[in-house]
Amino acid sequence: MTTPSQVLTLKIDGQDVTGRADETILQVARENGIHIPTLCFLDSLSPLGACRLCLVEIKGSPRLFAACVTYIAEGMEVLTKSDRLNKYRRMIVELLFAERNHICSICVANGHCDLQDLAREMGVTYVDFPYRYPRLGVDASHERFGLDHNRCVLCMRCVRVCGEVEGAHTWDVAGRGIEAHVSADLDFPWGDSDTCTSCGKCVQVCPTGALFKKGVAAAEMVKHRSFLVRLTAMREEAE
Amino acid sequence: MTKLKLATVWLDGCSGCHMSFLDIDERLLELVEKVDIVYSPLVDFKAFPDAVDITLVEGAVSNQDDLEKIKKVRAHTRLLVALGDCAVTANVPSMRNPFGVDQVVKRAYEENVTLQPQLPTQAVPPLLKRVRPVHDIVTVDVHLPGCPPSADAIFAALVALVEGRTPDVAALTRFGA
Amino acid sequence: MTPEELEKIAAKEEQARAHIPHTIDVCLGTTCMALQSDKLKTALEQEATRHPVGSKCQVRGVGCPGLCALGPLVTVKPEGDLYKQVKPEDAHDIVNSLGAEPVARLKCDTEQPFFKRQHKIVLENSGSIDPERLEDYIAAGGYTALLKCVTEMTPAEVIDEVVRSGLRGRGGAGFPAGLKWRTVAKAAGPRKFVVCNGDEGDPGAFMDRSVMESDPHRVLEGMAIAAYAVGASEGYLYVRAEYPLAVKRLKQAINQARAHGLLGANIGGTAFTFRVEVRLGAGAFVCGEETALMASIEGKRGNPRPRPPFPAESGLWQLPTLINNVETYANIPTILRQGADWFAGIGTSKSKGTKVFALTGRVHNTGLIEVPMGITLREIIFDIGGGIPDGRVFKAVQTGGPSGGCIPEEYLDMAVDYESLASVGSIMGSGGMIVIDDTSSMVDVAKYFIEFCKSESCGKCVPCRVGTAQMHTLLELIASGEGTRHDLERLEALCDMVKSTSLCGLGQNAPNPVISTLRYFRDEYESRLAG
């Protein structure tokens, strides 16, 4: 029987590594300087396993596993890079670009965007799927912040930080499938939300220019996320 | 050694990519030792030549003229380079796509016009239903994103192509760069 | 209630029936109800009061006898005559015929393969008992298995019996039921749940609906036995709200069973307690996926989550949870009553027992059938189903709903079980079986199913949310004749990617209809390509 604190040994990309039984493949990989691409994952938020970029191969299984939600096991052999994984990751990034209207050149987050960085990392220099061009709105009803649905990738970081860290649970997802979108309260304009504390955490954790501070121009929306790990650490200390 | 033939084409874009191309500055001299610029909005040839080695295409495919032009260019080009975000992703010109042509044309020629608002019937080529990236119409050999791609990126990519290598585009530029 | 009391109810019911020389059973399943069988029942009742012969007969509402294509269906007992397409105007003739010659114009041949080739376990009571009366179920042997389990068997013995029977999950994947039960039984913790997945959502599928409508107590008994075996005392029946009749009958059945001590505290006079509640699904297909279903029961948005942890270990409110499908539970009482060996003697080496299919599409006898595993597709479609109508030609049969695939003519003689269907690119699924003839284009069939998955995707993971939407776009392009070879290549790349990377079964199986039609009917795609 493994206990959470038990130390296990495994191989990631051929490298011998060790980790605690309650650590995920992603955690152990990062501790050992092995990079696995992620998008919905953010340290200190509950892992979601939704973007599927961190999928890895585990020897002995034909299935792929999301590194952010898969716990390590003794003797496990993990492969974080392969032609197959690269192909899928590229396609995931392409699908995200094709899904909504990501016009990078005029985006507030241009140059400070996780999606752009991923495209570069995956070597995505063009999108080989039909762009969908949905007609989506911009919610500018909040006094200090804006939400541009055209640039949202539905990573749910805002939903999680609002519910788990701020405790307000203003954000959630409404609609289904390709029609899904983040919504404030019961799909109200953000500015009318009774629950929003205007703390701005969602803006900072948003990977793209979907959530932004009002008044910033193209390429000016730099996101600051160090607060999240600090805040969580301080809360843990206080407990 | 015979020089390679280089062309540049301007579809629906702001010409920023061509400006960035010119920003290669004195390295243009290095370049023209290896290539002849046989067609470009920047030079005086009126017709697209028969056999071009490398063509840089700036801009998205937005109207009937663009469509015909890019097909012709592709037919006479060995290596087609989509230069900049408009050619690669349709970028800013594609922002009309969610709205549809009719609404966009009305907005431009009627709603926002105070003097003789009317829809154009001649001289303006008919708009396509959707603005499309170049690779949506013809095969593209190299995509060089950026708005615009930097002069360094364009130069490095051109040098690689002239030397018969595939440029490492992801290391040179990105969407929106 | 003790086993003896149960016997008394059964005996009393038999006695009461002995005084009624004739019964007229009217199907009150959804299909016949849609053809106004409820009005027919009223007409028969009125007619019975008017005629001297009628005073000797009882008109009952029963569940579905299966041949939906010819509804409303009426069965006259003890003669055993089945009448088809009966209208209220026919009530007079039917009542008058009792004890005399049957009504020839309405007679449906019960010797035809549709009836003779079936083997009914799950549906054994469907169409012959009144689903709204507990006594009817008890008279048919109902609840004896539950009382036998709780009074004579240990939970481990019950599980052994289910393991030995070889029963596999009927929801689609075919995971061995006994193994799942054993895992939940072994899970630590004083509080566990038993969940029944009645969120049947495949287009063209109505197996579970019919079981819940026609024999609701059977499902409850199966759940109670499962609860006893795994050590749970609480259960949820998750049924989609689009099945109002099933919901009504289940709720009624729960109340009846509770009133008779067959559910609730101290079942069979033992310490075993099992409370069960009906929870309604709002019609999202993804809520048939077990983790999404549990999120929905908990009152959350019905999104799936990655597994592991599996529900057996961490399910409802993070507690160990057994989740099986309606048909799986419906098999349980009979297995415990007749024994694991009897059950294991039916079917093939790896797939035991029977399977209920909803036979639909371009086939004569559309309806609900139950057949032994190992029967061939040809027997199902051409013998039981009666073949393709209007002189058309068979092209393919779609099994497993949106997660399944299309099987062409060359495999019609294959024996149906979990493995064989998977080997030809389809799945058993929950039991939808749609027959397609030569008038349909397979590109359109694939497009239909992808459109379904696209609109039913929850939107949580990227491959399913955007991938299915892009597949739909590409299929529309190809279907319209504007698609290129490159579009077809992209479509195939997406099939592989969505299948390999999606978070839950919905996305992982969504490409199957496209993959299987590409495998067997590629020329139909190619011929539509532009240029």
Side-chain angles (χ1 to χ4, degrees):
Chain A
M1 190 73 192
T2 43
T3 55
S5 58
Q6 199 171 335
V7 175
L8 308 174
T9 59
L10 62 153
K11 267 194 167 77
I12 302 182
D13 293 343
Q15 187 180 330
D16 286 308
V17 295
T18 59
R20 280 197 327 267
D22 64 350
E23 286 187 296
T24 62
I25 295 173
L26 181 65
Q27 281 172 305
V28 176
R30 287 193 171 176
E31 284 158 14
N32 288 281
I34 299 164
H35 173 77
I36 299 174
T38 54
L39 177 60
C40 65
F41 181 84
L42 198 61
D43 255 328
S44 303
L45 297 182
S46 63
L48 194 66
C51 73
R52 316 306 283 170
L53 281 167
C54 72
L55 287 180
V56 294
E57 294 179 23
I58 296 177
K59 201 179 162 189
S61 171
R63 282 182 53 210
L64 303 175
F65 297 82
C68 67
V69 290
T70 308
Y71 290 94
I72 60 165
E74 181 65 35
M76 191 182 243
E77 288 183 44
V78 179
L79 209 57
T80 72
K81 290 160 200 75
S82 71
D83 288 348
R84 181 171 180 225
L85 291 172
N86 290 347
K87 179 175 76 180
Y88 293 155
R89 286 173 185 158
R90 270 187 69 108
M91 285 172 86
I92 288 169
V93 171
E94 285 184 63
L95 286 178
L96 284 172
F97 272 104
E99 183 182 16
R100 296 191 179 189
N101 305 305
H102 297 275
I103 313 286
C104 294
S105 54
I106 51 152
C107 177
V108 289
N110 189 9
H112 317 287
C113 167
D114 291 4
L115 186 61
Q116 271 183 333
D117 293 346
L118 281 166
R120 194 159 190 176
E121 184 187 335
M122 304 301 150
V124 175
T125 57
Y126 74 109
V127 174
D128 202 4
F129 290 110
Y131 283 95
R132 305 195 62 77
Y133 301 117
R135 190 165 175 179
L136 300 168
V138 177
D139 183 345
S141 61
H142 192 281
E143 197 186 345
R144 289 165 51 207
F145 309 120
L147 163 60
D148 185 351
H149 288 287
N150 293 286
R151 304 187 183 282
C152 174
V153 292
L154 286 169
C155 67
M156 308 243 307
R157 285 188 191 176
C158 57
V159 175
R160 285 174 288 159
V161 82
C162 188
E164 295 169 12
V165 182
E166 178 62 9
H169 201 144
T170 300
W171 294 119
D172 212 320
V173 175
R176 196 160 74 194
I178 199 79
E179 311 285 327
H181 58 276
V182 294
S183 76
D185 292 347
L186 294 172
D187 224 353
F188 297 154
W190 191 0
D192 294 349
S193 166
D194 290 333
T195 59
C196 175
T197 61
S198 300
C199 73
K201 290 186 180 69
C202 53
V203 175
Q204 301 301 336
V205 299
C206 173
T208 68
L211 289 166
F212 57 90
K213 279 196 288 194
K214 280 187 173 175
V216 293
E220 286 182 357
M221 186 64 230
V222 182
K223 311 256 172 146
H224 299 284
R225 296 184 187 133
S226 57
F227 77 93
L228 192 55
V229 175
R230 255 194 347 261
L231 199 59
T232 320
M234 284 190 286
R235 280 186 189 169
E236 274 165 12
E237 262 173 48
E239 270 171 19
Chain B
M1 191 187 114
T2 51
K3 286 186 183 177
L4 295 179
K5 290 178 182 168
L6 175 71
T8 79
V9 178
W10 182 14
L11 305 178
D12 191 3
C14 69
S15 94
C17 294
H18 273 90
M19 295 300 117
S20 198
F21 173 64
L22 287 181
D23 282 344
I24 291 177
D25 294 340
E26 73 279 6
R27 286 172 293 183
L28 273 172
L29 298 175
E30 242 175 86
L31 195 66
V32 293
E33 279 176 17
K34 290 171 182 141
V35 300
D36 275 332
I37 299 181
V38 294
Y39 180 87
S40 169
L42 306 167
V43 298
D44 234 0
F45 300 100
K46 298 296 177 212
F48 196 83
D50 269 348
V52 177
D53 292 298
I54 303 166
T55 302
L56 306 178
V57 185
E58 173 189 341
V61 182
S62 294
N63 61 41
Q64 202 58 40
D65 280 10
D66 296 338
L67 190 67
E68 284 155 24
K69 197 187 242 173
I70 194 62
K71 284 182 177 164
K72 189 174 169 194
V73 166
R74 176 69 266 188
H76 298 285
T77 298
R78 190 162 57 86
L79 287 172
L80 191 69
V81 180
L83 177 69
D85 278 352
C86 292
V88 174
T89 75
N91 201 23
V92 172
S94 76
M95 290 175 73
R96 77 161 159 89
N97 288 352
F99 301 92
V101 177
D102 290 350
Q103 209 184 329
V104 168
V105 171
K106 257 203 182 100
R107 185 90 180 141
Y109 291 99
E110 288 183 348
E111 290 167 25
N112 283 349
V113 176
T114 42
L115 205 61
Q116 291 187 332
Q118 59 181 324
L119 298 184
T121 52
Q122 48 190 325
V124 181
L127 296 179
L128 300 178
K129 215 166 75 190
R130 271 188 171 185
V131 181
R132 295 156 80 180
V134 173
H135 70 262
D136 222 11
I137 313 289
V138 295
T139 307
V140 170
D141 300 298
V142 176
H143 290 88
L144 201 64
C147 189
S150 68
D152 288 350
I154 298 174
F155 183 71
L158 275 175
V159 169
L161 289 172
V162 167
E163 291 173 359
R165 290 180 286 117
T166 308
D168 180 6
V169 175
L172 296 173
T173 181
R174 59 163 167 82
F175 296 130
Chain C
M1 174 163 314
T2 63
E4 294 73 38
E5 288 169 316
L6 200 65
E7 267 174 42
K8 257 185 235 163
I9 294 180
K12 203 173 137 199
E13 187 65 18
E14 296 268 315
Q15 227 178 352
R17 277 196 203 162
H19 291 292
I20 305 161
H22 302 284
T23 42
I24 303 176
D25 288 349
V26 184
C27 172
L28 292 185
T30 293
T31 318
C32 286
M33 287 269 262
L35 296 164
Q36 307 198 314
S37 65
D38 48 344
K39 284 199 180 130
L40 168 65
K41 183 173 176 251
T42 314
L44 284 162
E45 282 163 348
Q46 283 173 352
E47 205 59 44
T49 55
R50 247 180 258 155
H51 288 269
V53 62
S55 61
K56 287 182 264 166
C57 93
Q58 183 191 14
V59 180
R60 299 192 309 166
V62 295
C64 175
L67 191 51
C68 303
L70 298 179
L73 296 166
V74 170
T75 316
V76 180
K77 287 174 185 166
E79 294 83 352
D81 292 321
L82 178 71
Y83 293 133
K84 63 186 180 189
Q85 293 168 326
V86 185
K87 293 178 201 65
E89 304 89 89
D90 300 320
H92 175 83
D93 291 350
I94 291 176
V95 173
N96 274 333
S97 76
L98 295 173
E101 280 300 297
V103 190
R105 68 166 197 283
L106 298 173
K107 253 197 96 166
C108 179
D109 176 17
T110 50
E111 292 300 314
Q112 59 175 306
F114 182 85
F115 297 101
K116 289 292 159 194
R117 299 301 282 274
Q118 294 198 48
H119 186 143
K120 296 194 173 185
I121 297 174
V122 168
L123 303 178
E124 64 180 345
N125 295 334
S126 290
S128 64
I129 67 163
D130 181 349
E132 306 203 359
R133 289 187 73 237
L134 172 66
E135 294 78 5
D136 265 37
Y137 182 62
I138 292 176
Y143 286 111
T144 52
L146 171 63
L147 293 189
K148 179 176 141 195
C149 287
V150 300
T151 58
E152 296 171 24
M153 296 170 81
T154 65
E157 284 169 347
V158 175
I159 292 174
D160 283 346
E161 199 70 5
V162 177
V163 170
R164 281 203 306 120
S165 76
L167 175 69
R168 295 169 67 172
R170 297 292 193 244
F175 189 78
L179 211 61
K180 202 189 246 186
W181 287 28
R182 192 169 276 161
T183 316
V184 180
K186 279 184 183 166
R191 200 171 168 205
K192 297 176 188 176
F193 296 97
V194 164
V195 175
C196 176
N197 184 349
D199 193 56
E200 179 173 62
D202 290 1
F206 47 92
M207 300 77 56
D208 296 346
R209 164 194 218 147
S210 194
V211 173
M212 293 186 286
E213 286 175 1
S214 302
D215 202 1
H217 283 287
R218 167 179 293 272
V219 183
L220 297 178
E221 187 180 359
M223 284 180 76
I225 292 171
Y228 174 72
V230 303
S233 55
E234 292 160 83
Y236 291 98
L237 248 160
Y238 190 85
V239 189
R240 56 201 305 230
E242 291 95 326
Y243 285 180
L245 189 60
V247 171
K248 177 190 148 205
R249 289 188 181 157
L250 284 167
K251 284 186 172 168
Q252 209 169 25
I254 290 171
N255 287 335
Q256 291 165 350
R258 207 164 36 206
H260 286 80
L262 293 162
L263 284 178
N266 305 113
I267 296 171
T270 68
F272 173 56
T273 296
F274 182 56
R275 294 190 171 82
V276 60
E277 261 180 55
V278 173
R279 284 291 165 102
L280 297 193
F285 178 67
V286 73
C287 285
E289 196 282 338
E290 59 184 21
T291 59
L293 185 151
M294 291 186 304
S296 176
I297 290 180
E298 288 175 18
K300 296 175 186 153
R301 182 179 159 92
N303 276 4
R305 58 154 178 81
R307 297 175 305 179
F310 287 92
E313 192 188 330
S314 174
L316 273 179
W317 294 286
Q318 280 90 53
L319 294 163
T321 303
L322 174 72
I323 174 160
N324 277 136
N325 148 280
V326 170
E327 194 183 331
T328 312
Y329 287 122
N331 269 296
I332 295 296
T334 320
I335 291 175
L336 268 301
R337 220 167 41 230
Q338 311 252 43
D341 297 329
W342 166 82
F343 188 84
I346 306 163
T348 66
S349 62
K350 283 185 173 171
S351 303
K352 304 295 185 190
T354 59
K355 181 73 194 82
V356 181
F357 289 104
L359 188 60
T360 58
R362 301 289 293 154
V363 65
H364 270 292
N365 301 330
T366 53
L368 197 71
I369 57 163
E370 184 173 1
V371 289
M373 296 276 190
I375 191 171
T376 67
L377 285 167
R378 191 181 297 281
E379 287 172 282
I380 295 178
I381 296 160
F382 288 91
D383 295 347
I384 296 174
I388 317 296
D390 306 330
R392 305 303 317 193
V393 178
F394 171 87
K395 189 174 197 178
V397 56
Q398 210 280 345
T399 71
S403 306
C406 295
I407 303 170
E409 166 118 47
E410 59 190 289
Y411 297 112
L412 277 184
D413 293 310
M414 187 183 74
V416 172
D417 68 12
Y418 290 97
E419 278 71 26
S420 65
L421 289 174
S423 74
V424 296
S426 188
I427 58 165
M428 176 76 78
S430 58
M433 193 174 268
I434 303 169
V435 180
I436 297 161
D437 72 12
D438 59 344
T439 56
S440 295
S441 145
M442 299 314 280
V443 180
D444 293 338
V445 170
K447 187 161 72 94
Y448 167 79
F449 281 108
I450 282 296
E451 185 169 16
F452 180 84
C453 290
K454 169 195 165 190
S455 63
E456 293 297 338
S457 165
C458 77
K460 180 173 172 175
C461 77
V462 181
C464 179
R465 180 181 79 234
V466 200
T468 55
Q470 290 290 12
M471 287 170 75
H472 183 241
T473 303
L474 290 168
L475 278 164
E476 276 196 318
L477 262 174
I478 293 168
S480 71
E482 288 171 42
T484 61
R485 189 152 296 278
H486 184 69
D487 291 327
L488 185 58
E489 283 164 17
R490 290 273 84 192
L491 178 66
E492 292 195 86
L494 272 175
C495 285
D496 170 43
M497 180 267 196
V498 172
K499 195 171 175 57
S500 304
T501 62
S502 289
L503 191 157
C504 84
L506 196 163
Q508 287 159 11
N509 293 311
N512 287 356
V514 186
I515 294 172
S516 71
T517 49
L518 271 167
R519 182 166 158 190
Y520 300 119
F521 303 95
R522 196 178 182 89
D523 54 319
E524 294 195 21
Y525 286 83
E526 305 254 349
S527 67
R528 291 220 200 171
L529 295 182

